[in-house]
Amino acid sequence: MSDTLTCDAVLDASGLNCPLPLLKAKMELNRLASGAVLKVIATDTGSQRDFRTFATLAGHTLLQETAEAGTYTYWLRKA
C-alpha cells in the first residue's frame, strides 16, 4: 500500500452512505485547482463503483484506490 502519494486535500467520508461520499468529493474537487490530488476515505462498499465511474465520466484520474478492513481510500487527480 502506498500512502506515500501526496495529496492537496483529504476528505473523510467514513460512515456516510452512497451518494454522500461522492457528492462531498465533487464539492471538494470544485475548490481545488486543476491537477490537485484529493484523498478520499470512505466506508461505503458502493463507493468503489461510484468513484471509478465518476473519475471516468468527469475526466479525473483515479491514481490509486485501496480497500482494507472495510475502509476504502481513493486518490483522485482533478482534471
Side-chain angles (χ1 to χ4, degrees):
M1 303 291 158
S2 166
D3 280 337
T4 54
L5 274 176
T6 56
C7 57
D8 300 288
V10 177
L11 171 65
D12 187 352
S14 300
L16 298 177
N17 292 322
C18 182
L20 286 175
L22 193 59
L23 290 175
K24 287 188 173 287
K26 281 183 182 178
M27 291 193 315
E28 193 65 29
L29 282 167
N30 285 340
R31 295 185 329 99
L32 297 173
S34 181
V37 175
L38 174 64
K39 177 181 178 181
V40 182
I41 303 159
T43 51
D44 181 30
T45 53
S47 67
Q48 288 184 295
R49 178 195 62 240
D50 291 348
F51 276 94
R52 289 175 190 149
T53 303
F54 167 66
T56 302
L57 293 176
H60 304 306
T61 304
L62 184 57
L63 298 173
Q64 183 175 332
E65 63 176 285
T66 63
E68 197 171 325
T71 299
Y72 306 92
T73 309
Y74 309 94
W75 285 263
L76 286 163
R77 174 170 286 129
K78 183 174 177 176

